[in-house]
């Protein structure tokens, strides 16, 4: 819970006070955890996370950005906040620190930042307890939106944060390596989710086996896996099927240069449905725009400084679709 | 790609059941782009070969759904499969082999070929089916409702399995997971016309029959299917028509088949799967159907 403290309110200074009268001590009911992942580095996750946070905050919602890229923290840079004193790694490794202690104000009202770890050697592989502390804190945080900027790759930590979220977003670029990584991420996330809901150790063993494409069960996709498990035990299969149905990642295509690039979003929807048996939702795209590049270089997020322009429009569309559970429809 | 096998054409195209022709066309365009050769979106998941297979399937889905008539037939089949629960039976299509136990205590099974007592007809549940059937513009459509032991009308019991067909007494079979697949050999033999020389190439027998202007009765359909090396299970799985119905169609056990509009839909689908001209096959078959089914 939040406690008032008398601290200077310059950006980049830790202050547990939410800043909005009435929020302190209030249970926030409409809270959403949003995770931004993508598998590949450099696709625009941090860019999207930062700008989304700002857009939510501008709408009057309390938003907390968390740089969960353990080992590759960039969110503060994107937002133009100097390298912070206390970070997520401090929170995880020092038991006496509470989550409020590492939370920073930003130049945007209602927006707070928990910066990522600076010490690469230490925290990229947290212990079970450290990770647990963070997961619990995220779940208990009182804010309207919690936006997790996940790192690249498919480490179990990254996957767990993605699966913890109410809404997961994958950022891809219209080129093969990014798409390959995105599918790899989806596959890993699915299997990790299935594994976590499977109570029977035999079923878990089957899931582990199925992760390898060349397994001897003849299972080549999550759908085939569910069928296989249903053959073993109908109830267990039902549980897996339900988990698959509830897995609904969103997709954002970044660096769009043409209509064909936009179509990638729809295409991925179709492919995921056929291969993974899951429903992914194409919620928007970011056009390749000089403004974006400039904003990163100057460390001034688009959403903070611009209202006009393609980039701002694109971002607003994404935020809107995300908040309202909508997705793009082909014309 | 198991998921593909269990998807209907709407799912394959990614459209809703009530999609307009324009939406269907648009979905088809997207799919064509998605599964094109060297597609970016399928990279690392589907090979080019798989892309081609999927495209073929999607093309088929599009053809069926874009044409209003074939779409209607397909919709009819889908609806039948999904079954609207009638007041007489919990869930599933009453009387459909393979659905759960339906008979309340004391009811009797349908008599093969016999006229159901008027009582049964009177008990015919007023489900959504009835109006449709009376609207069916077939000769003798009206009388069929009363005289035929239509599965739903003949009390909520599973119609006797084909194996029991020859038995004089009505059988009460409940909760059978599916009709026994073995059929009396005599029955099938009776339907078989003079055997055609087994053609070496799968499509050859079919083409021969087409050339010869053969009439497409049940036995002919069966012959084509067999010559293509497709088992009944296979066809049932791919067409989503229950295996039992496929058998009834091939053996011309009309009394166990539902209303003509459904039968026509099934036959059309089967013809498509077998690579036969659907219109011609349906016409031939329905002629026989109407003539035989009292």
């Amino acid at each position: 819970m939040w406690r008032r403290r008398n601290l200077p309110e310059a950006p980049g200074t830790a202050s547990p006070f939410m800043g909005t009268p009435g929020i302190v001590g209030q249970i926030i009911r409409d809270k959403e955890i949003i995770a931004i992942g993508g598998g590949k580095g450099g696709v625009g996750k941090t860019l999207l996370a930062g700008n989304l946070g700002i857009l939510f905050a501008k709408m009057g919602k309390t938003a907390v950005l968390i740089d969960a890229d353990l080992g590759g923290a960039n969110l503060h840079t994107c937002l133009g906040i100097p390298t912070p004193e206390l970070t997520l790694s401090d929170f995880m490794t020092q038991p006496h620190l509470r989550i409020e202690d590492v939370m920073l104000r930003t130049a945007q009202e209602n927006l707070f930042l928990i910066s990522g770890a600076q010490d690469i050697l230490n925290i990229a592989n947290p212990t079970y307890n450290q990770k647990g502390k963070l997961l619990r804190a995220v779940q208990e945080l009182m804010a309207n939106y919690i936006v997790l900027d996940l790192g690249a790759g498919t480490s179990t930590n990254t996957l767990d944060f993605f699966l913890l979220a109410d809404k997961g977003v994958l950022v891809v670029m219209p080129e093969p390596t990014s798409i390959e990584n995105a599918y790899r991420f989806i596959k890993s996330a699915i299997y990790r989710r299935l594994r976590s809901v499977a109570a029977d150790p035999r079923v878990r063993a089957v899931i582990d086996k199925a992760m390898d494409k060349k397994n001897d069960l003849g299972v080549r996709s999550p759908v085939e896996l569910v069928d296989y498990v249903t053959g073993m035990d109908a109830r267990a299969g039902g549980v897996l099927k339900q988990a698959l149905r509830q897995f609904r990642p969103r997709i954002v295509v970044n660096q769009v240069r043409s209509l064909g690039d936009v179509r990638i979003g729809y295409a991925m929807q179709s492919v995921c449905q056929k291969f993974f048996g899951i429903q992914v939702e194409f919620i928007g795209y970011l056009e390749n725009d000089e403004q974006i590049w400039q904003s990163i270089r100057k460390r001034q997020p688009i959403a903070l400084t611009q209202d006009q322009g393609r980039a701002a429009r694109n971002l607003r569309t994404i935020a809107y679709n995300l908040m309202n559970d909508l997705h793009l429809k082909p014309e | 790609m198991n998921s593909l096998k269990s998807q209907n054409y709407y799912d394959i195209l990614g459209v809703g059941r009530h999609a307009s022709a324009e939406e269907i066309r648009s979905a088809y365009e997207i799919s064509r782009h998605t599964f094109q050769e060297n597609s970016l979106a399928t990279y690392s998941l589907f090979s080019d070969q798989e892309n081609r297979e999927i495209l073929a399937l999607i093309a088929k889905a599009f053809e069926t759904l874009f044409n209003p008539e074939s779409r209607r037939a397909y919709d009819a089949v889908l609806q039948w499969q999904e079954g609207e629960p009638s007041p007489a039976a919990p869930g599933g299509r009453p009387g459909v082999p393979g659905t759960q136990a339906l008979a309340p205590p004391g009811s009797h099974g349908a008599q093969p070929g016999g006229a159901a007592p008027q009582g049964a007809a009177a008990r015919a549940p007023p489900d959504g089916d009835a109006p449709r059937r009376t609207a069916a513009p077939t000769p003798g459509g009206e009388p069929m409702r009363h005289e035929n032991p239509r599965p739903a009308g003949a009390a909520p019991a599973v119609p006797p399995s084909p194996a029991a067909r020859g038995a004089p007494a009505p059988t009460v079979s409940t909760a059978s997971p599916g009709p026994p697949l073995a059929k009396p050999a005599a029955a099938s033999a009776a339907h078989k016309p003079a055997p055609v020389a087994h053609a070496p190439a799968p499509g050859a027998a079919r083409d021969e029959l087409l050339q010869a202007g053969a009439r497409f009765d049940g036995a002919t359909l069966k012959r084509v299917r067999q010559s293509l090396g497709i088992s009944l299970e296979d066809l049932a799985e791919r067409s989503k028509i229950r295996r039992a119905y496929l058998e009834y169609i091939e053996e011309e056990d009309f009394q166990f088949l539902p209303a003509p509009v459904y039968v026509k839909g099934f036959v059309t689908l089967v013809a498509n799967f077998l690579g036969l001209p659907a219109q011609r096959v349906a016409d031939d078959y329905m002629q026989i159907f109407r003539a035989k089914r009292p």
Side-chain angles (χ1 to χ4, degrees):
Chain A
M1 294 308 295
W2 297 103
R3 288 194 350 246
R4 195 189 284 258
R5 271 210 211 146
N6 291 328
L7 285 176
E9 306 232 321
T13 318
S15 160
F17 178 47
M18 293 296 276
T20 318
I23 291 292
V24 176
Q26 188 184 58
I27 306 290
I28 294 191
R29 290 186 206 287
D30 55 337
K31 165 182 163 180
E32 244 172 30
I33 303 176
I34 298 175
I36 318 271
K40 182 173 162 65
V43 290
K45 298 182 287 302
T46 304
L47 172 78
L48 184 63
N51 281 291
L52 278 181
I54 293 170
L55 286 177
F56 293 149
K58 276 191 166 174
M59 286 185 232
K61 307 283 185 183
T62 313
V64 179
L65 286 168
I66 302 183
D67 191 341
D69 188 351
L70 306 174
N74 286 137
L75 199 42
H76 61 284
T77 305
C78 248
L79 295 172
I81 294 177
T83 311
E85 288 290 328
L86 287 177
T87 70
L88 199 60
S89 74
D90 296 309
F91 168 74
M92 285 166 78
T93 55
Q94 297 176 41
H96 68 279
L97 284 182
R98 291 149 312 154
I99 194 76
E100 311 99 282
D101 297 326
V102 299
M103 198 176 292
L104 312 170
R105 291 188 155 280
T106 67
Q108 171 64 45
E109 192 184 347
N110 297 328
L111 183 63
F112 299 84
L113 168 70
I114 297 178
S115 181
Q118 296 301 313
D119 182 347
I120 300 176
L121 289 178
N122 200 4
I123 206 52
N125 295 301
T127 66
Y128 180 78
N129 285 333
Q130 289 168 342
K131 189 170 148 187
K133 189 184 181 202
L134 176 56
L135 288 175
R136 267 192 310 278
V138 167
Q139 280 164 320
E140 289 166 2
L141 212 47
M142 289 294 143
N144 294 120
Y145 287 102
I146 299 178
V147 183
L148 295 167
D149 175 16
L150 306 180
T154 54
S155 74
T156 49
N157 300 322
T158 306
L159 293 175
D160 284 340
F161 282 128
F162 192 80
L163 293 171
L164 163 74
D166 298 304
K167 292 175 179 163
V169 182
L170 293 170
V171 183
V172 300
M173 289 203 299
E175 43 93 61
T177 53
S178 156
I179 293 189
E180 184 176 20
N181 277 27
Y183 287 143
R184 190 173 298 139
F185 187 94
I186 291 176
K187 180 184 173 191
S188 307
I190 289 179
Y191 282 110
R192 189 145 178 94
R193 165 55 51 86
L194 291 182
R195 207 178 178 284
S196 75
V197 300
D200 189 338
R202 285 177 313 150
V203 175
R204 277 207 291 272
V206 167
I207 296 176
D208 287 337
K209 255 191 166 180
M211 277 252 26
D212 180 0
K213 244 196 319 204
K214 303 186 276 305
N215 61 77
D216 59 7
L217 303 168
V219 167
R220 286 175 314 148
S221 71
V223 178
E224 290 183 12
L225 170 63
V226 171
D227 286 340
Y228 186 91
V229 171
T230 308
M232 280 170 60
D233 173 354
R235 209 190 48 82
V239 167
L240 295 192
K241 198 179 269 192
Q242 174 81 330
L244 263 192
R245 249 205 304 270
Q246 289 171 339
F247 187 66
R248 246 194 335 139
R250 280 79 174 163
I251 288 196
V252 168
V253 184
N254 191 13
Q255 297 277 12
V256 161
R257 286 177 167 82
S258 69
L259 197 55
D261 291 345
V262 174
R263 284 223 206 103
I264 297 279
Y266 297 116
M268 288 182 76
Q269 257 181 205
S270 180
V271 169
C272 284
Q273 195 249 345
K274 286 171 175 47
F275 189 85
F276 295 115
I278 62 166
Q279 187 192 343
V280 310
E281 297 185 354
F282 181 30
I283 62 169
Y285 53 86
L286 291 168
E287 295 170 75
N288 176 45
D289 196 290
E290 177 75 7
Q291 277 185 341
I292 296 188
W293 185 75
Q294 290 287 356
S295 79
I296 297 177
R297 258 197 95 189
K298 294 192 203 154
R299 292 177 280 141
Q300 280 174 6
I302 294 263
L304 202 54
T305 55
Q306 312 263 2
D307 270 336
Q308 316 295 332
R310 276 193 308 210
R313 257 203 320 273
N314 292 155
L315 285 165
R316 278 200 296 272
T317 306
I318 294 172
Y320 184 80
N321 287 340
L322 192 54
M323 291 170 76
N324 295 299
D325 233 353
L326 301 169
H327 56 99
L328 299 187
K329 296 232 168 25
E331 297 110 39
Chain B
M1 291 173 289
N2 241 358
S3 56
L4 282 178
K5 284 191 200 163
S6 55
Q7 289 180 3
N8 61 50
Y9 282 164
Y10 290 97
D11 291 339
I12 286 172
L13 276 178
V15 295
R17 291 288 178 88
H18 302 287
S20 68
E22 188 48 44
E23 285 171 320
I24 290 177
R25 199 196 54 76
S26 164
Y28 181 53
E29 286 303 318
I30 291 178
S31 300
R32 279 218 324 217
H33 161 83
T34 303
F35 295 99
Q36 66 185 303
E37 198 172 324
N38 280 329
S39 161
L40 203 51
T42 59
Y43 180 70
S44 81
L45 286 192
F46 292 131
S47 65
D48 266 344
Q49 167 66 15
E50 286 171 317
N51 277 355
R52 277 195 288 275
E53 287 169 18
I54 296 175
L55 264 184
L57 187 55
I58 290 176
K60 184 136 250 179
F62 172 69
E63 276 162 29
T64 306
L65 296 184
F66 197 61
N67 173 309
E69 196 186 299
S70 56
R71 182 177 179 178
R72 258 200 303 274
Y74 185 74
D75 284 345
V77 171
L78 269 190
Q79 275 184 328
W80 181 266
Q81 282 176 350
E82 276 143 23
E84 292 132 17
S86 88
R93 182 62 71 189
V96 165
T99 51
Q100 50 278 48
L102 301 170
S107 69
H108 294 287
Q111 304 211 22
Q118 291 294 27
R123 263 197 294 136
D127 58 1
D129 228 33
R132 260 184 273 151
R133 293 182 63 244
T134 48
T138 55
E142 266 298 312
M144 254 197 284
R145 199 149 81 84
H146 298 295
E147 287 160 25
N148 245 48
R150 180 181 158 250
V158 178
S161 47
R165 211 165 42 97
T171 45
V172 183
S173 57
T174 57
S176 51
L181 304 173
K183 297 209 57 185
S188 353
H191 286 283
K192 238 186 213 136
V196 169
H198 191 74
R206 168 188 60 194
D207 298 329
E208 259 182 61
L209 288 167
L210 280 173
Q211 295 272 13
R215 198 160 81 120
F216 283 96
D217 58 5
T220 313
L221 287 175
K222 180 170 182 172
R223 200 142 25 95
V224 173
R225 174 181 64 75
Q226 285 173 333
S227 79
L228 290 171
I230 303 176
S231 69
L232 269 179
E233 282 86 14
D234 222 346
L235 187 57
E237 200 187 335
R238 283 155 64 173
S239 69
K240 303 300 165 209
I241 300 174
R242 266 178 241 267
R243 190 217 149 100
Y245 286 139
L246 292 173
E247 262 190 276
Y248 296 148
I249 286 174
E250 286 183 354
E251 305 302 329
E252 294 186 10
D253 288 333
F254 296 134
Q255 68 270 35
F256 299 128
L257 287 174
V261 65
Y262 294 111
V263 177
K264 186 168 182 190
F266 294 160
V267 171
T268 308
L269 271 185
V270 168
N272 277 326
F273 271 99
L274 299 180
L276 295 166
Q279 187 63 43
R280 177 169 152 197
V281 170
D283 285 345
D284 280 357
Y285 194 87
M286 294 315 291
Q287 223 177 34
I288 305 172
F289 183 87
R290 283 190 285 273
K292 249 202 193 179
R293 190 159 148 165

PDB file of all heavy atoms in Angstrom, chain A residues 261-276:
ATOM      1  N   ASP A 261       3.193  -5.003 -45.598  1.00  0.00           N
ATOM      2  CA  ASP A 261       3.676  -5.117 -44.229  1.00  0.00           C
ATOM      3  C   ASP A 261       2.513  -5.141 -43.255  1.00  0.00           C
ATOM      4  O   ASP A 261       2.533  -5.859 -42.261  1.00  0.00           O
ATOM      5  CB  ASP A 261       4.603  -3.943 -43.889  1.00  0.00           C
ATOM      6  CG  ASP A 261       5.925  -4.010 -44.637  1.00  0.00           C
ATOM      7  OD1 ASP A 261       6.233  -5.099 -45.181  1.00  0.00           O
ATOM      8  OD2 ASP A 261       6.636  -2.991 -44.699  1.00  0.00           O
ATOM      9  N   VAL A 262       1.515  -4.341 -43.546  1.00  0.00           N
ATOM     10  CA  VAL A 262       0.330  -4.344 -42.680  1.00  0.00           C
ATOM     11  C   VAL A 262      -0.332  -5.719 -42.713  1.00  0.00           C
ATOM     12  O   VAL A 262      -0.766  -6.255 -41.695  1.00  0.00           O
ATOM     13  CB  VAL A 262      -0.696  -3.280 -43.119  1.00  0.00           C
ATOM     14  CG1 VAL A 262      -1.968  -3.400 -42.300  1.00  0.00           C
ATOM     15  CG2 VAL A 262      -0.109  -1.895 -42.983  1.00  0.00           C
ATOM     16  N   ARG A 263      -0.345  -6.288 -43.915  1.00  0.00           N
ATOM     17  CA  ARG A 263      -1.002  -7.592 -44.079  1.00  0.00           C
ATOM     18  C   ARG A 263      -0.348  -8.676 -43.247  1.00  0.00           C
ATOM     19  O   ARG A 263      -0.969  -9.695 -42.935  1.00  0.00           O
ATOM     20  CB  ARG A 263      -0.930  -8.022 -45.550  1.00  0.00           C
ATOM     21  CG  ARG A 263      -1.908  -7.297 -46.441  1.00  0.00           C
ATOM     22  CD  ARG A 263      -2.548  -8.291 -47.394  1.00  0.00           C
ATOM     23  NE  ARG A 263      -3.002  -7.656 -48.611  1.00  0.00           N
ATOM     24  CZ  ARG A 263      -2.367  -7.738 -49.772  1.00  0.00           C
ATOM     25  NH1 ARG A 263      -1.265  -8.434 -49.866  1.00  0.00           N
ATOM     26  NH2 ARG A 263      -2.850  -7.131 -50.822  1.00  0.00           N
ATOM     27  N   ILE A 264       0.893  -8.451 -42.885  1.00  0.00           N
ATOM     28  CA  ILE A 264       1.591  -9.448 -42.063  1.00  0.00           C
ATOM     29  C   ILE A 264       0.791  -9.728 -40.803  1.00  0.00           C
ATOM     30  O   ILE A 264       0.708 -10.858 -40.326  1.00  0.00           O
ATOM     31  CB  ILE A 264       2.991  -8.953 -41.675  1.00  0.00           C
ATOM     32  CG1 ILE A 264       3.847  -8.770 -42.908  1.00  0.00           C
ATOM     33  CG2 ILE A 264       3.650  -9.913 -40.698  1.00  0.00           C
ATOM     34  CD1 ILE A 264       4.461 -10.016 -43.423  1.00  0.00           C
ATOM     35  N   GLY A 265       0.216  -8.674 -40.249  1.00  0.00           N
ATOM     36  CA  GLY A 265      -0.571  -8.835 -39.030  1.00  0.00           C
ATOM     37  C   GLY A 265      -1.720  -9.812 -39.229  1.00  0.00           C
ATOM     38  O   GLY A 265      -1.917 -10.747 -38.444  1.00  0.00           O
ATOM     39  N   TYR A 266      -2.476  -9.593 -40.296  1.00  0.00           N
ATOM     40  CA  TYR A 266      -3.594 -10.498 -40.584  1.00  0.00           C
ATOM     41  C   TYR A 266      -3.089 -11.899 -40.889  1.00  0.00           C
ATOM     42  O   TYR A 266      -3.668 -12.903 -40.477  1.00  0.00           O
ATOM     43  CB  TYR A 266      -4.405  -9.990 -41.778  1.00  0.00           C
ATOM     44  CG  TYR A 266      -5.049  -8.661 -41.549  1.00  0.00           C
ATOM     45  CD1 TYR A 266      -4.679  -7.544 -42.302  1.00  0.00           C
ATOM     46  CD2 TYR A 266      -6.031  -8.495 -40.580  1.00  0.00           C
ATOM     47  CE1 TYR A 266      -5.270  -6.321 -42.094  1.00  0.00           C
ATOM     48  CE2 TYR A 266      -6.620  -7.265 -40.366  1.00  0.00           C
ATOM     49  CZ  TYR A 266      -6.239  -6.181 -41.124  1.00  0.00           C
ATOM     50  OH  TYR A 266      -6.814  -4.971 -40.915  1.00  0.00           O
ATOM     51  N   ALA A 267      -1.985 -11.936 -41.620  1.00  0.00           N
ATOM     52  CA  ALA A 267      -1.446 -13.233 -41.999  1.00  0.00           C
ATOM     53  C   ALA A 267      -1.029 -14.026 -40.765  1.00  0.00           C
ATOM     54  O   ALA A 267      -1.294 -15.227 -40.660  1.00  0.00           O
ATOM     55  CB  ALA A 267      -0.263 -13.051 -42.943  1.00  0.00           C
ATOM     56  N   MET A 268      -0.407 -13.362 -39.830  1.00  0.00           N
ATOM     57  CA  MET A 268       0.015 -14.063 -38.622  1.00  0.00           C
ATOM     58  C   MET A 268      -1.193 -14.565 -37.835  1.00  0.00           C
ATOM     59  O   MET A 268      -1.155 -15.644 -37.242  1.00  0.00           O
ATOM     60  CB  MET A 268       0.890 -13.160 -37.755  1.00  0.00           C
ATOM     61  CG  MET A 268       2.273 -12.940 -38.332  1.00  0.00           C
ATOM     62  SD  MET A 268       3.332 -11.930 -37.273  1.00  0.00           S
ATOM     63  CE  MET A 268       3.770 -13.113 -36.008  1.00  0.00           C
ATOM     64  N   GLN A 269      -2.244 -13.782 -37.853  1.00  0.00           N
ATOM     65  CA  GLN A 269      -3.485 -14.232 -37.202  1.00  0.00           C
ATOM     66  C   GLN A 269      -3.899 -15.572 -37.785  1.00  0.00           C
ATOM     67  O   GLN A 269      -4.213 -16.527 -37.067  1.00  0.00           O
ATOM     68  CB  GLN A 269      -4.604 -13.219 -37.461  1.00  0.00           C
ATOM     69  CG  GLN A 269      -4.899 -12.334 -36.306  1.00  0.00           C
ATOM     70  CD  GLN A 269      -6.041 -11.351 -36.604  1.00  0.00           C
ATOM     71  OE1 GLN A 269      -6.102 -10.311 -35.995  1.00  0.00           O
ATOM     72  NE2 GLN A 269      -6.933 -11.689 -37.528  1.00  0.00           N
ATOM     73  N   SER A 270      -3.919 -15.606 -39.116  1.00  0.00           N
ATOM     74  CA  SER A 270      -4.370 -16.797 -39.807  1.00  0.00           C
ATOM     75  C   SER A 270      -3.446 -17.980 -39.544  1.00  0.00           C
ATOM     76  O   SER A 270      -3.889 -19.092 -39.262  1.00  0.00           O
ATOM     77  CB  SER A 270      -4.430 -16.484 -41.311  1.00  0.00           C
ATOM     78  OG  SER A 270      -4.859 -17.579 -42.030  1.00  0.00           O
ATOM     79  N   VAL A 271      -2.160 -17.727 -39.595  1.00  0.00           N
ATOM     80  CA  VAL A 271      -1.200 -18.806 -39.412  1.00  0.00           C
ATOM     81  C   VAL A 271      -1.261 -19.365 -37.990  1.00  0.00           C
ATOM     82  O   VAL A 271      -1.246 -20.579 -37.785  1.00  0.00           O
ATOM     83  CB  VAL A 271       0.221 -18.301 -39.722  1.00  0.00           C
ATOM     84  CG1 VAL A 271       1.254 -19.302 -39.279  1.00  0.00           C
ATOM     85  CG2 VAL A 271       0.359 -18.020 -41.200  1.00  0.00           C
ATOM     86  N   CYS A 272      -1.349 -18.486 -37.024  1.00  0.00           N
ATOM     87  CA  CYS A 272      -1.391 -18.946 -35.626  1.00  0.00           C
ATOM     88  C   CYS A 272      -2.631 -19.790 -35.378  1.00  0.00           C
ATOM     89  O   CYS A 272      -2.600 -20.763 -34.623  1.00  0.00           O
ATOM     90  CB  CYS A 272      -1.370 -17.765 -34.663  1.00  0.00           C
ATOM     91  SG  CYS A 272       0.253 -17.019 -34.510  1.00  0.00           S
ATOM     92  N   GLN A 273      -3.705 -19.405 -36.018  1.00  0.00           N
ATOM     93  CA  GLN A 273      -4.923 -20.170 -35.830  1.00  0.00           C
ATOM     94  C   GLN A 273      -4.772 -21.567 -36.409  1.00  0.00           C
ATOM     95  O   GLN A 273      -5.215 -22.545 -35.815  1.00  0.00           O
ATOM     96  CB  GLN A 273      -6.072 -19.413 -36.511  1.00  0.00           C
ATOM     97  CG  GLN A 273      -7.432 -19.891 -36.103  1.00  0.00           C
ATOM     98  CD  GLN A 273      -8.120 -20.592 -37.235  1.00  0.00           C
ATOM     99  OE1 GLN A 273      -7.710 -20.493 -38.388  1.00  0.00           O
ATOM    100  NE2 GLN A 273      -9.148 -21.322 -36.916  1.00  0.00           N
ATOM    101  N   LYS A 274      -4.086 -21.653 -37.534  1.00  0.00           N
ATOM    102  CA  LYS A 274      -3.963 -22.962 -38.160  1.00  0.00           C
ATOM    103  C   LYS A 274      -2.878 -23.814 -37.530  1.00  0.00           C
ATOM    104  O   LYS A 274      -3.003 -25.029 -37.438  1.00  0.00           O
ATOM    105  CB  LYS A 274      -3.678 -22.796 -39.660  1.00  0.00           C
ATOM    106  CG  LYS A 274      -4.922 -22.365 -40.396  1.00  0.00           C
ATOM    107  CD  LYS A 274      -4.634 -21.993 -41.819  1.00  0.00           C
ATOM    108  CE  LYS A 274      -5.927 -21.690 -42.548  1.00  0.00           C
ATOM    109  NZ  LYS A 274      -6.823 -20.788 -41.799  1.00  0.00           N
ATOM    110  N   PHE A 275      -1.794 -23.193 -37.120  1.00  0.00           N
ATOM    111  CA  PHE A 275      -0.693 -23.994 -36.616  1.00  0.00           C
ATOM    112  C   PHE A 275      -0.788 -24.232 -35.113  1.00  0.00           C
ATOM    113  O   PHE A 275      -0.574 -25.331 -34.630  1.00  0.00           O
ATOM    114  CB  PHE A 275       0.638 -23.328 -36.954  1.00  0.00           C
ATOM    115  CG  PHE A 275       1.819 -24.195 -36.654  1.00  0.00           C
ATOM    116  CD1 PHE A 275       2.253 -25.126 -37.569  1.00  0.00           C
ATOM    117  CD2 PHE A 275       2.475 -24.102 -35.432  1.00  0.00           C
ATOM    118  CE1 PHE A 275       3.333 -25.951 -37.289  1.00  0.00           C
ATOM    119  CE2 PHE A 275       3.544 -24.923 -35.142  1.00  0.00           C
ATOM    120  CZ  PHE A 275       3.978 -25.843 -36.071  1.00  0.00           C
ATOM    121  N   PHE A 276      -1.074 -23.151 -34.368  1.00  0.00           N
ATOM    122  CA  PHE A 276      -1.097 -23.278 -32.921  1.00  0.00           C
ATOM    123  C   PHE A 276      -2.499 -23.523 -32.378  1.00  0.00           C
ATOM    124  O   PHE A 276      -2.661 -23.921 -31.235  1.00  0.00           O
ATOM    125  CB  PHE A 276      -0.545 -22.010 -32.258  1.00  0.00           C
ATOM    126  CG  PHE A 276       0.904 -21.751 -32.536  1.00  0.00           C
ATOM    127  CD1 PHE A 276       1.295 -20.639 -33.258  1.00  0.00           C
ATOM    128  CD2 PHE A 276       1.875 -22.609 -32.080  1.00  0.00           C
ATOM    129  CE1 PHE A 276       2.625 -20.391 -33.519  1.00  0.00           C
ATOM    130  CE2 PHE A 276       3.219 -22.372 -32.327  1.00  0.00           C
ATOM    131  CZ  PHE A 276       3.586 -21.257 -33.054  1.00  0.00           C
TER     132      PHE A 276
END
